[in-house]
Amino acid sequence: MLSTESAATVRATIPAVAGALDDITARFYDTMLGERPELLDGLFNRGNQASGEQRKALAGSIAAFATMLLENPDERPDALLSRIAHKHVSLGITEDQYVIVHKYLFGAIAHVLDDAATPEVVAAWDEVYWLMAGALIAMEAGLYQRSGGRDVWRPWTVTERREQTADAVTLTLEPGDGGPAPDFRPGQYVSVRAQMPDGVHQARQYSVSGWDGSRRLITVKRLRAGEWNPAGEVSTLLHGTATPGDTLMVSTPAGDVTLSDGDHPLVLVSAGIGCTPMAAMLRHLDEHGSDRRVIVLHADRTPADHAHREELNELIERLPGATAHVWYEQDHTEAGEPTDVTVRPGTVDLGPIEIPEGAEAYLCGPLPFMRGVRTGLLDGGLPARRVHYEVFGPDLWLGQN
Ligand SMILES: Cc1cc2nc3c(=O)[nH]c(=O)nc-3n(C[C@H](O)[C@H](O)[C@H](O)COP(=O)(O)OP(=O)(O)OC[C@H]3O[C@@H](n4cnc5c(N)ncnc54)[C@H](O)[C@@H]3O)c2cc1C
Ligand code: HEM
C-alpha cells in the first residue's frame, strides 16, 4: 500500500508520468542495454526491442499498477503481476537485477521529466516501483521454489523433428543431463535459448504442445519476413536447423494460463500457432479419460497451414464430450474430419456456437483475434474472470481488463 503522501503525489502526477512513459521506457532500455549489453545476450528479446513491443508492455504494466494502487489500495493486483512473474521466472531473472532496472528506469524518469522530477515526485514513484518490484520478487521466489530453484536453464536434446506444416515443426526434447523432466501444467511454456549467427544468445517462449513420458514437445512456427519486418530470428533458426542430436538450452516450465481442474465445460479458442497450448490441454483431458464438455474453436488460413490438425481430429473423436469448429480463410475443405468437427469457410464467428453456462474459456492467437472473441464471449454471458488468454509476445493487454 502506498503511503498517504506518495498516494497524493502519484495521483497528481499520474497523467504526466503516464503521458511520458513511452519516452521514459525508450530511454530506459536504450541506456540500460547500451551500458549493460550483456542483458541482451540471452535475456532481453531484441526483436521486441526493435518492434517497441516490450517497451509498451513495461510502460502499460507500471501505469496499470499505479492506477490499481490508487483505486484499490488494499488489494494486490495478482493477475497483472502473475503474468510478468511467470515470464521473468522462465528467464531466470534474479532479485539483484531489480536494482539495475531501478537505476536505469529512474535515470530515464529524471531525464524525461526534467524539472518536473522533483525529489517528492521521484520519492513517490520510487515507492510505486519498489512495491511492484517487491510483489514480483516475492511471487517469483515462490515460483522458483516450487519449480526446483533459480537455475532454470538445462540442456535438452532434440530427439525427433516432425514437420507439421510448411512453416511449423514439432521438436521432441529429452533432458540432456539424464535428470528427470520437470512437471508442467497444460498451457505452460518453456523458454528456449539459442545462439544466433552473430554469437548473441536469444530466448523465446514455446508452449509445451505435447509430451511422452519424460519427453516434451514444442511446435515452432517460423515467422517469415514481411514487407516491413525481417524474418523472426529464433523461429527461423529452429525451423531451419534444429535436428535430432542437437542440444538446446530450455527453461523450467512457466505460465499461469493453465487448464483448471473441475468438470465445468471448456471453450478452447485459437488461431494459427495459438493451437499449441490447446493441443496440450486436449491431450491432458484425453489422458485423464475426461468426459467434460469441450468446445474447440480454431481459425487458420488454410487446412495446410493448420498445425496439429490431425491430432485435433483424433482427440475430438476420442473425447466423448468434445466438439470442434474450424474456420479456414482459404481452401475450405473437409478432408475426412470426424462428425464432431465442423469445418466452415472464413473467420471465427461465434454466432452458431452455443456457449454452455458455467464454461471457462481459454484464448490464444493474435491480439485482434482474441479481442473479438473475448468481446463475443462476454456478450454471450461469460464473466470476464472466466476468460483467460495467452499472448505469444509482450502482453499489451496487461491491466486493461
Ligand atoms: C507464452 C508464449 C508462448 C509461445 N508459444 C509459442 C509456440 O508454441 N509456438 C510458436 O511458434 N511461437 C510461440 N510463441 C512465440 C515465440 O516465443 C516467438 O515470439 C516467435 O517464435 C518469434 O520469435 P523470433 O525470434 O522468430 O522472432 P523475433 O526475431 O523475436 O521477431 C518478432 C517480431 O518482431 C519483428 N521484428 C524483429 N526485428 C524487427 C525490426 N528491426 N523492425 C521491425 N520489426 C522487427 C519480426 O519481424 C517479428 O514479426 C510464444 C510466445 C509466448 C510469449
Ligand atoms: C518492477 C520491475 C519490473 C517490471 C514492472 C517489469 C515488467 C515486465 C513486463 C510487463 C514484461 C512483459 C511480460 C509479458 O507480457 O510477457 C516483462 C518482461 C521481461 N522482463 Fe521485466 N519487469 C521488471 C523487472 C525486470 C528485471 C529486474 C529484469 C531483469 C533484468 C527484467 C527482465 C525482463 C525480461 C528479459 C522480459 C522479457 C522481455 C521480452 O521478452 O522482450 N524485468 N517485464
Side-chain angles (χ1 to χ4, degrees):
M1 197 169 146
L2 271 177
S3 63
T4 317
E5 308 82 71
S6 291
T9 310
V10 169
R11 197 181 297 283
T13 53
I14 212 168
V17 173
L21 267 177
D22 263 354
D23 290 341
I24 293 171
T25 48
R27 185 169 172 90
F28 155 66
Y29 279 118
D30 283 351
T31 50
M32 183 173 77
L33 299 176
E35 288 181 27
R36 306 288 300 252
E38 74 276 11
L39 293 175
L40 261 187
D41 191 14
L43 200 52
F44 281 95
N45 171 331
R46 57 185 177 181
N48 291 340
Q49 289 300 319
S51 66
E53 299 239 306
Q54 170 58 19
R55 194 159 25 109
K56 283 190 217 145
L58 178 77
S61 75
I62 295 175
F65 185 77
T67 308
M68 287 179 196
L69 280 180
L70 295 176
E71 286 173 2
N72 301 302
D74 300 324
E75 280 172 37
R76 199 172 76 160
D78 278 357
L80 166 76
L81 296 168
S82 161
R83 158 95 195 173
I84 305 171
H86 277 272
K87 179 67 83 63
H88 282 170
V89 163
S90 86
L91 292 160
I93 278 154
T94 54
E95 194 173 339
D96 52 313
Q97 288 171 329
Y98 280 85
V99 179
I100 304 175
V101 164
H102 175 265
K103 173 181 159 190
Y104 290 100
L105 189 58
F106 278 75
I109 289 176
H111 179 87
V112 173
L113 295 188
D114 202 14
D115 287 349
T118 62
E120 188 195 6
V121 169
V122 171
W125 282 93
D126 201 64
E127 215 178 309
V128 172
Y129 177 85
W130 284 113
L131 277 173
M132 191 166 188
L136 285 170
I137 290 168
M139 226 177 228
E140 288 158 23
L143 292 172
Y144 283 128
Q145 200 184 12
R146 284 198 290 283
S147 67
R150 289 173 185 272
D151 189 8
V152 297
W153 299 105
R154 281 172 64 191
W156 287 64
T157 309
V158 179
T159 55
E160 206 183 317
R161 173 191 168 104
R162 190 162 79 85
E163 311 301 321
Q164 285 277 348
T165 68
D167 285 334
V169 61
T170 295
L171 302 175
T172 303
L173 307 168
E174 279 184 41
D177 54 10
D183 275 348
F184 71 100
R185 286 186 292 151
Q188 286 197 303
Y189 56 85
V190 290
S191 288
V192 174
R193 194 171 69 193
Q195 191 172 26
M196 299 298 109
D198 64 359
V200 170
H201 296 84
Q202 285 286 285
R204 298 291 184 270
Q205 291 68 43
Y206 294 99
S207 305
V208 177
S209 61
W211 61 92
D212 177 9
S214 67
R215 299 186 187 96
R216 300 287 178 264
L217 275 60
I218 56 170
T219 303
V220 179
K221 183 182 177 194
R222 69 172 150 175
L223 290 188
R224 289 176 183 261
E227 206 178 329
W228 307 107
N229 57 306
E233 56 177 341
V234 176
S235 63
T236 304
L237 183 95
L238 292 175
H239 184 273
T241 65
T243 31
D246 286 357
T247 298
L248 293 174
M249 292 307 284
V250 178
S251 77
T252 40
D256 61 345
V257 182
T258 59
L259 193 64
S260 63
D261 294 332
D263 54 11
H264 53 276
L266 297 167
V267 183
L268 310 181
V269 195
S270 55
I273 198 61
C275 63
T276 50
M278 310 309 171
M281 291 184 189
L282 286 171
R283 197 51 224 280
H284 173 87
L285 293 169
D286 182 45
E287 266 196 11
H288 287 78
S290 170
D291 60 0
R292 277 170 94 163
R293 176 100 193 269
V294 185
I295 302 177
V296 176
L297 310 178
H298 179 78
D300 232 305
R301 214 164 58 84
T302 69
D305 290 302
H306 182 172
H308 294 282
R309 181 182 181 205
E310 265 174 45
E311 191 182 332
L312 172 70
N313 288 340
E314 282 165 22
L315 286 165
I316 296 294
E317 205 162 22
R318 280 211 299 273
L319 284 162
T323 51
H325 302 260
V326 182
W327 285 262
Y328 296 121
E329 284 170 48
Q330 295 162 27
D331 305 340
H332 150 248
T333 47
E334 286 186 53
E337 268 81 5
T339 43
D340 287 333
V341 178
T342 311
V343 178
R344 296 187 176 86
T347 54
V348 166
D349 169 18
L350 292 182
I353 317 294
E354 199 187 314
I355 304 297
E357 207 171 313
E360 190 156 26
Y362 293 85
L363 278 45
C364 188
L367 270 183
F369 165 83
M370 291 200 287
R371 199 170 279 133
V373 171
R374 184 172 182 274
T375 305
L377 292 172
L378 300 190
D379 289 349
L382 269 198
R385 70 188 151 75
R386 292 184 80 80
V387 183
H388 313 283
Y389 67 92
E390 187 64 272
V391 185
F392 278 5
D395 186 354
L396 306 181
W397 258 3
L398 272 175
Q400 288 177 27
N401 46 71

